[in-house]
Amino acid sequence: MSEVREKEVLNVEETGEFLGFAPYTIREKARDGEIPGRKIGGEWRFSRRRLLEWIEEGDREQVRV
């Protein structure tokens, strides 16, 4: 897990480990635009920094509700 924490660009499996979701769920959420990601060469890639920002944005929205 420490290697995943240090990498800036994560693949589907690493993102699943990072967020606690199965790889299938990560692909599905990325395809639906629910999580920030980008398809590069047919493979999904995720910015660790952007994922953290996305989580923080969700936390702020929940506080407003």
Side-chain angles (χ1 to χ4, degrees):
M1 176 91 168
S2 63
E3 184 178 321
V4 171
R5 283 189 211 153
E6 295 174 15
K7 287 180 73 175
E8 176 56 33
V9 178
L10 307 175
N11 64 26
V12 169
E13 289 77 17
E14 293 163 336
T15 301
E17 183 179 331
F18 183 67
L19 296 178
F21 290 112
Y24 173 84
T25 303
I26 296 297
R27 283 186 198 91
E28 190 175 69
K29 288 183 176 297
R31 236 185 340 265
D32 293 344
E34 293 180 41
I35 61 172
R38 183 168 303 207
K39 218 169 191 185
I40 300 173
E43 304 261 338
W44 282 101
R45 295 291 182 253
F46 304 87
S47 162
R48 179 181 175 279
R49 179 182 49 78
R50 184 63 190 108
L51 290 170
L52 289 170
E53 290 171 357
W54 171 76
I55 291 168
E56 290 171 4
E57 289 167 6
D59 288 345
R60 283 192 295 269
E61 287 178 15
Q62 287 181 352
V63 170
R64 285 186 229 156
V65 173

